[in-house]
Amino acid sequence: MDYFKKVFKESIFIVIISSFMGLLSGIFLSINEKIIYAIPIILLILPSLNSLIGDICTVLTSRLTTHLYIGSIPPKVQKSERLVQDFIGLLITILLSLLVLIILGFIIVISTGINIISPFLILFIIILTILSLFFCLFIFLFISSIYLFKKGKDPNNLLIPFVTSLADFLTPLLLITFIIIFI
Amino acid sequence: MESQDTKGKIVQETFPSEIVSIIGDILAGLILTLILLTFKSFLILIIIIPALLSLRGNLSGPFIARTSKDLIIGEFNSKSWIENVLSTYALSIVTACLIGIFSIMLDLFLIKKFIDKKIISMETLIIIPIIAILLTLSISIPTSTFLNYLAFRYGFNPNNVVNPIMTAVDDFFTVICFYFTLLMLGVP
């Protein structure tokens, strides 16, 4: 049962923290109900935005972990060709996915006859939110993976739960903050 | 495999899975809105749901990543998989209990509406996340293991392909299992 113990021991603390953050996200959304309902497209695509940034972070973490285990990235905070390839690959993926998400969101909004306030500003806010999160979380995940790997821990167990919950909390937080600033 | 992926390959493998994820999540969002609005206890349920949806990141995501890592580094076997599954279930029960306890605290101290007026009981608030998470994992674990194995067998990197697809599967089935749990427990 060594594998079981290792996974449970490494994950339990972060899972508790992440669940707590998930609940905070729920409270934050319910507090800002009026803002979200005033701009329906945000409400419509929020679950997808959460999962988009969460997915990309999960893919990045699992890739970084595997790189560290097989030695294709040295356990040092330094630029490498492998890291650049991963960064560009995931950045292109997130931009393309965002484009699809926005098109789908707008199609649904138009087909349901919901008015869109300042569509270009909303578009700008969505892109700004996702890109800000991607850049910050990329740096955070890279440094954290190396730190945890050096400590002999599996970054998958700690970082994936933490970063997806962080993304679930930060996405609505940044979106609403930018809406308050720009609209 | 991992060390040879170019940026083109990353996009090629991750983007189609991400499209599936986006469509699945939009559907999950629509279903969730349609289902939850009909319940009297909507205000407390809407607080539980983001925590339940974060299960993909808390439990399924690491489970998938551990399985794909084991496949790639050649350490995948039935013993490690069973222990991986057991640890995921053990963590899910702890997580579900905490979500339930925290939602009771929120209702008692913040919302002050559902338990006091006996619309929903404390036991029900604990049992809802436990059943919903266990049901979801019972679908998610076999599906993700099968997809991981298929991806690996056919030369795809499981890290790129499986996670985004499973996000959609997990989110969609979390909503469905949540709904079935509410029906089973007779939540108003």
Side-chain angles (χ1 to χ4, degrees), chain A residues 43-58:
Chain A
L43 181 70
L44 188 76
I45 63 170
L46 192 60
S48 305
L49 283 179
N50 277 345
S51 94
L52 173 62
I53 195 77
D55 286 345
I56 295 297
C57 288
T58 305

Side-chain angles (χ1 to χ4, degrees), chain A:
Chain A
M1 296 295 274
D2 289 346
Y3 195 97
F4 174 89
K5 282 179 192 165
K6 186 179 189 289
V7 171
F8 193 85
K9 200 176 151 189
E10 286 186 3
S11 309
I12 186 68
F13 178 69
I14 202 71
V15 163
I16 292 170
I17 299 286
S18 302
S19 304
F20 185 72
M21 285 169 71
L23 285 162
L24 281 181
S25 176
I27 298 166
F28 183 75
L29 284 173
S30 59
I31 288 169
N32 290 286
E33 200 182 9
K34 284 181 185 171
I35 294 175
I36 293 168
Y37 278 99
I39 305 165
I41 193 164
I42 298 290
L43 181 70
L44 188 76
I45 63 170
L46 192 60
S48 305
L49 283 179
N50 277 345
S51 94
L52 173 62
I53 195 77
D55 286 345
I56 295 297
C57 288
T58 305
V59 170
L60 175 65
T61 309
S62 51
R63 290 185 62 83
L64 284 172
T65 304
T66 313
H67 284 318
L68 288 164
Y69 271 99
I70 63 176
S72 50
I73 279 183
K76 289 176 188 169
V77 182
Q78 64 179 40
K79 190 180 161 189
S80 65
E81 181 54 30
R82 185 64 269 151
L83 191 68
V84 173
Q85 290 284 329
D86 277 18
F87 178 81
I88 298 171
L90 290 175
L91 181 64
I92 295 169
T93 306
I94 210 165
L95 288 172
L96 289 172
S97 305
L98 202 52
L99 183 71
V100 174
L101 176 58
I102 288 165
I103 291 169
L104 276 174
F106 273 85
I107 287 171
I108 291 171
V109 166
I110 290 164
S111 62
T112 51
I114 299 166
N115 285 329
I116 310 170
I117 308 161
S118 316
F120 289 106
L121 200 54
I122 295 291
L123 203 66
F124 169 73
I125 288 171
I126 292 169
I127 294 167
L128 184 67
T129 304
I130 291 297
L131 289 185
S132 314
L133 281 171
F134 176 69
F135 289 124
C136 294
L137 292 176
F138 188 92
I139 295 165
F140 170 76
L141 287 174
F142 174 56
I143 295 170
S144 308
S145 300
I146 287 170
Y147 174 78
L148 291 169
F149 182 74
K150 277 183 172 177
K151 288 258 178 190
K153 295 184 188 303
D154 185 343
N156 283 331
N157 296 341
L158 289 149
L159 288 180
I160 295 176
F162 180 72
V163 85
T164 47
S165 295
L166 188 67
D168 283 349
F169 180 67
L170 288 178
T171 309
L173 182 76
L174 277 187
L175 262 180
I176 290 167
T177 308
F178 287 141
I179 285 168
I180 292 167
I181 293 170
F182 293 109
I183 297 182

Side-chain angles (χ1 to χ4, degrees), chain B residues 3-18:
Chain B
S3 60
Q4 296 159 359
D5 282 1
T6 59
K7 53 182 178 290
K9 195 185 176 199
I10 295 170
V11 177
Q12 200 184 342
E13 289 190 355
T14 314
F15 180 58
S17 320
E18 201 52 57

